[in-house]
Amino acid sequence: EAQVTQNPRYLITVTGKKLTVTCSQNMNHEYMSWYRQDPGLGLRQIYYSMNVEVTDKGDVPEGYKVSRKEKRNFPLILESPSPNQTSLYFCASSPGLAGEQYFGPGTRLTVT
Amino acid sequence: QKEVEQNSGPLSVPEGAIASLNCTYSDRGSQSFFWYRQYSGKSPELIMSIYSNGDKEDGRFTAQLNKASQYVSLLIRDSQPSDSATYLCAVTPGGTSYGKLTFGQGTILTVHP
């Protein structure tokens, strides 16, 4: 089944404890992206990647890191999480155009 | 001014009616326009894309784009209760930021029987 998977789906952590949210797609898509969704603020793009080893900032990249060493994987790294990073995170991929994206199921992160 | 704005909603229509969702954008050089649907507790899913001025129809859905007026709309004909969801407008910018995608805040649509 063609899909985007994210792990973990739910995570509660403490301020400052490094964490990684994994994202993997099995559709051989070149483009991948991370978003956060917050009430009243909508979906906001954190980082995106046009291909392996090519990443760029979205609208809210502060406090996040990404890497794209393989085509199928695009992990999101929070080196020192803070409570304002409590959010619902979505990973997405696209075969070409940035807008035609397939979204993963989401990861709900709580930072206390 | 927000880059992508949607009519605030929530929008409530009776079953069988036409639901009209609107979106305006501030970047005149924007290239591509998309409508996503997000059911409560689920991830967004793409329902329409439109790249040139005019109308694009897909089943009960019609997307309309007017670049001169910088708006894009989504019409849902013969609305069904299963269409009840949040609808997100998304826009890719002009220039060389090919990978960026900006979403509006979404419009909640409720279709009541």
Side-chain angles (χ1 to χ4, degrees):
Chain A
E1 180 190 354
Q3 59 183 350
V4 178
T5 56
Q6 295 179 227
N7 282 292
R9 295 288 312 280
Y10 303 90
L11 179 60
I12 301 173
T13 190
V14 296
T15 298
K17 186 177 180 183
K18 181 179 178 179
L19 67 92
T20 299
V21 183
T22 65
C23 174
S24 182
Q25 51 93 5
N26 62 0
M27 296 171 280
N28 201 35
H29 287 171
E30 292 187 345
Y31 177 96
M32 297 184 75
S33 185
W34 275 103
Y35 299 87
R36 60 178 291 174
Q37 187 171 37
D38 302 287
L41 296 176
L43 265 170
R44 294 179 292 167
Q45 191 176 40
I46 303 171
Y47 270 96
Y48 62 92
S49 170
M50 302 292 281
N51 213 326
V52 175
E53 303 290 2
V54 180
T55 63
D56 209 343
K57 297 177 182 177
D59 292 322
V60 288
E62 296 78 20
Y64 304 95
K65 285 177 60 176
V66 293
S67 68
R68 187 93 181 273
K69 293 183 170 53
E70 306 167 278
K71 199 172 190 178
R72 62 182 293 131
N73 296 323
F74 191 43
L76 179 70
I77 302 157
L78 286 72
E79 299 229 326
S80 184
S82 63
N84 65 11
Q85 292 178 298
T86 291
S87 187
L88 177 59
Y89 291 87
F90 287 104
C91 179
S93 72
S94 170
L97 297 172
E100 298 184 356
Q101 298 187 22
Y102 296 81
F103 280 78
T107 295
R108 187 165 292 281
L109 172 65
T110 302
V111 184
T112 62
Chain B
Q1 181 190 4
K2 294 184 185 136
E3 291 185 43
V4 180
E5 288 200 59
Q6 298 185 235
N7 44 340
S8 55
L11 180 65
S12 180
V13 300
E15 184 174 356
I18 295 175
S20 177
L21 304 158
N22 298 316
C23 175
T24 58
Y25 57 95
S26 60
D27 179 0
R28 186 168 287 279
S30 294
Q31 299 285 326
S32 309
F33 308 86
F34 308 89
W35 284 98
Y36 283 79
R37 177 177 63 200
Q38 186 175 24
Y39 291 115
S40 181
K42 301 295 186 182
S43 52
E45 57 177 330
L46 179 69
I47 54 172
M48 289 288 283
S49 57
I50 187 166
Y51 303 99
S52 54
N53 280 329
D55 294 0
K56 179 182 177 182
E57 189 174 314
D58 184 0
R60 295 186 296 110
F61 298 97
T62 298
Q64 299 174 316
L65 175 61
N66 184 323
K67 287 188 176 181
S69 300
Q70 295 176 240
Y71 85 79
V72 57
S73 63
L74 180 71
L75 300 177
I76 306 174
R77 291 183 301 282
D78 188 24
S79 295
Q80 301 297 309
S82 58
D83 295 325
S84 298
T86 298
Y87 289 80
L88 305 167
C89 173
V91 177
T92 60
T96 56
S97 300
Y98 301 116
K100 295 193 79 171
L101 186 64
T102 301
F103 284 84
Q105 289 182 283
T107 299
I108 299 172
L109 171 67
T110 302
V111 181
H112 52 88

